[in-house]
Amino acid sequence: MANPSNSTYPVYRIENKMSIVDPEMPSPRYHNTIFIETWEDGYKSGRTCHVIGDLVTGMTYNTRIDQDPELDPMFFAKHFLGNVGVADYPDRLNEVLGRLPAPQKQKSFNPRTMRTEQHKSPGVFYEEGEQRPPMVKCTEWTVNQAIPALFEAGILVRATEPS
């Protein structure tokens, strides 16, 4: 049941510890998601919006009803971002996030080196010493694409953190 006293929902960026760390990515790294606290499935529950997948297969946008993120054993941190209006949730929010390009396949098995490596495009690998762009994962999608897109669309509005 939703918290009936709200005309807006608080929105947070959640960081969760990862069970498998990519040795080629700078550490520490956390799985970053956007969490809208709606109370739609109990106290402090809401919707998690994020990308799922990996660098070998590519990622896709995903959303799910979730419990209070602080109850997750992998929980690391919660950062208040602002509020989303009830009128924009979930349809308009999902429309904006669903239009964003999810991180694509960025690594493949290289039969020449017998390793899974970052590639320029599938089948075209970087040469030794060649400059490689940073890989894009959930953190980059959430922080650099999703959150700015929600602010730009006027769906996410800066506010003071609820007490």
Side-chain angles (χ1 to χ4, degrees):
M1 177 169 109
N3 185 353
S5 63
N6 290 338
S7 60
T8 63
Y9 299 123
V11 179
Y12 302 90
R13 179 173 59 91
I14 304 298
E15 293 178 287
N16 285 325
K17 297 174 216 157
M18 296 194 294
S19 54
I20 300 174
V21 178
D22 184 340
E24 295 183 48
M25 297 296 288
S27 289
R29 282 194 61 97
Y30 302 96
H31 180 64
N32 278 252
T33 66
I34 296 170
F35 181 74
I36 302 94
E37 187 178 290
T38 62
W39 294 41
E40 59 196 284
D41 192 31
Y43 180 73
K44 289 195 170 190
S45 66
R47 183 170 301 268
T48 295
C49 301
H50 59 149
V51 288
I52 57 172
D54 57 52
L55 297 179
V56 175
T57 60
M59 299 183 182
T60 57
Y61 173 63
N62 178 269
T63 180
R64 67 175 186 260
I65 302 298
D66 229 337
Q67 66 177 354
D68 176 354
E70 293 184 58
L71 299 177
D72 188 318
M74 300 303 278
F75 175 79
F76 178 74
K78 180 177 174 180
H79 310 277
F80 179 70
L81 299 172
N83 291 326
V84 63
V86 171
D88 291 327
Y89 173 83
D91 296 337
R92 193 156 169 251
L93 178 126
N94 280 323
E95 177 186 319
V96 168
L97 295 179
R99 277 195 319 250
L100 297 175
Q104 298 298 305
K105 179 176 178 166
Q106 299 166 65
K107 293 173 92 174
S108 304
F109 181 75
N110 185 341
R112 191 173 51 104
T113 62
M114 300 301 286
R115 292 186 42 209
T116 300
E117 299 176 2
Q118 186 176 2
H119 58 68
K120 297 177 188 179
S121 62
V124 181
F125 294 93
Y126 291 94
E127 296 299 325
E128 178 121 2
E130 187 176 359
Q131 185 73 18
R132 298 168 190 223
M135 290 184 275
V136 176
K137 293 179 91 171
C138 63
T139 298
E140 292 77 16
W141 183 87
T142 300
V143 173
N144 300 334
Q145 293 181 49
I147 293 169
L150 291 173
F151 277 122
E152 186 177 308
I155 293 170
L156 182 56
V157 178
R158 295 196 193 282
T160 56
E161 186 164 7
S163 45

